[in-house]
Amino acid sequence: MLHKMIRALVADDSSIAREVVKDGIRLLGAKRYFEVSAVSDGKEALSVLQKKPVDIAFVDVNMPGLSGPEVVAAMKQTQSKDCLTIAMSASMNDRVEAVLKDFGAYHFLQKPFRAENVAEIISSYILMTEKYPVLVVDDSATMRKLTRKILDASRFNFEITEADSAESALRAIKSGTFKMVITDFNMPGADGLELAGSIRELSSKIAIYMMSTNDTTYLERSAAFIGINGFLKKPFNAGDIDALMHKLLGLDDPSFGKVREVFSFMERERLKVAS
């Protein structure tokens, strides 16, 4: 199977840091072909980002010329606006962290780091680019369209199929191969819990996530008992989808991404214990 080449940028005024990142990229050389641009200051980094679409960028926070946060902030106006960005530094204050998060940076590598740390992040990126067949089940065409839009905005790559009822969802599942199902709870006929039970009779491998405007502990516990993987309270966004996918695939939570429990009652109980 042919894979798209990954364009990587390494921007750091330290030649040692640049080499460690490049060593980490080389560890993944057997999985993908990489084109690596290595630069030593922020102005050069921005020039690369403007000239061609970069897929993943490792950007030092403190660089001569333009700083790392300034490069990340300007990135949205370049061909690399969807780039997965990893900030690098020995330390980071709250102000810098807030800027990086606001402008969509993904992760933070604290110096000194090893090539294996870089390879782990790139492995996560490769998993994000894999295609994940997902079935969206909702009797509302408007909600299906909105959910599709949210999935398309995720960092992960989804192949989306829609169903307007539990019955049509089960037909689709029997004739297709899905990594996950995102289903509404309130539907005419069989509801989301009933659908989840039927899916679990067919497969234990399909991940199931329930959507609902309700937030009751009873509903979430019932969903967990049936074997649903998580609960999405409406409204949710692409960050929630990314957080669920990180848990589903066993990836480390990104420094600047949303972190959430798969069921909100778990978070409530954790807070009770902490208090």
Side-chain angles (χ1 to χ4, degrees):
M1 181 180 178
L2 291 175
H3 292 287
K4 173 178 171 283
M5 177 182 69
I6 297 175
R7 290 188 173 94
L9 169 66
V10 186
D12 200 307
D13 57 317
S14 164
S15 59
I16 294 174
R18 294 198 302 272
E19 286 305 314
V20 173
V21 175
K22 287 193 282 186
D23 286 344
I25 292 172
R26 291 187 192 103
L27 291 176
L28 276 300
K31 290 189 176 183
R32 293 289 180 91
Y33 176 70
F34 293 86
E35 178 187 277
V36 182
S37 300
V39 300
S40 60
D41 63 58
K43 186 176 179 181
E44 287 183 280
L46 186 57
S47 177
V48 172
L49 294 163
Q50 290 169 333
K51 287 177 181 177
K52 61 184 177 182
V54 172
D55 300 303
I56 182 167
F58 294 83
V59 180
D60 183 34
V61 170
N62 301 299
M63 287 188 293
L66 294 174
S67 69
E70 288 174 320
V71 171
V72 175
M75 193 180 294
K76 291 300 180 185
Q77 308 303 319
T78 73
Q79 293 191 61
S80 307
K81 62 182 183 299
D82 297 322
C83 176
L84 192 79
T85 307
I86 295 86
M88 305 179 294
S89 182
S91 61
M92 183 171 55
N93 60 44
D94 292 342
R95 183 186 62 81
V96 170
E97 181 178 354
V99 170
L100 290 168
K101 188 172 184 177
D102 285 346
F103 285 98
Y106 172 74
H107 203 39
F108 174 66
L109 271 176
Q110 184 171 14
K111 295 179 179 181
F113 51 82
R114 297 178 294 115
E116 289 79 10
N117 302 130
V118 174
E120 186 175 353
I121 291 172
I122 296 173
S123 294
S124 295
Y125 172 77
I126 290 173
L127 282 174
M128 290 177 193
T129 63
E130 297 291 330
K131 192 164 284 187
Y132 297 99
V134 57
L135 178 63
V136 176
V137 189
D138 200 305
D139 62 300
S140 165
T142 301
M143 265 311 300
R144 294 198 305 273
K145 182 178 180 180
L146 178 59
T147 304
R148 176 183 285 271
K149 185 176 181 180
I150 292 169
L151 290 169
D152 285 339
S154 165
R155 291 193 182 274
F156 292 82
N157 184 19
F158 295 105
E159 184 178 75
I160 304 167
T161 302
E162 297 179 18
D164 61 3
S165 67
E167 293 75 14
S168 60
L170 288 172
R171 287 195 297 270
I173 289 167
K174 289 174 182 176
S175 61
T177 303
F178 294 99
K179 177 71 175 179
M180 60 190 293
V181 173
I182 301 177
T183 180
D184 190 32
F185 168 65
N186 291 300
M187 294 187 292
D191 64 22
L193 289 177
E194 292 175 275
L195 172 59
S198 297
I199 294 172
R200 279 291 167 257
E201 291 177 3
L202 295 172
S203 172
S204 61
K205 295 181 179 179
I206 299 174
I208 308 171
Y209 295 95
M210 176 87 61
M211 300 182 290
S212 179
T213 52
N214 298 320
D215 192 29
T216 63
T217 298
Y218 170 76
L219 178 58
E220 290 192 40
R221 287 188 184 279
S222 298
F225 178 77
I226 289 172
I228 289 175
N229 296 72
F231 200 86
L232 285 162
K233 185 176 184 295
K234 299 176 184 176
F236 55 91
N237 59 30
D240 294 298
I241 297 296
D242 288 346
L244 293 181
M245 288 299 293
H246 274 80
K247 289 186 182 296
L248 178 62
L249 298 174
L251 306 177
D252 286 342
D253 292 324
S255 302
F256 304 117
K258 182 178 281 189
V259 177
R260 71 191 300 279
E261 295 285 354
V262 290
F263 294 98
S264 61
F265 78 81
M266 292 180 177
E267 176 68 11
R268 291 194 294 271
E269 290 181 355
R270 184 185 67 78
L271 291 173
K272 284 181 183 177
V273 172
S275 61

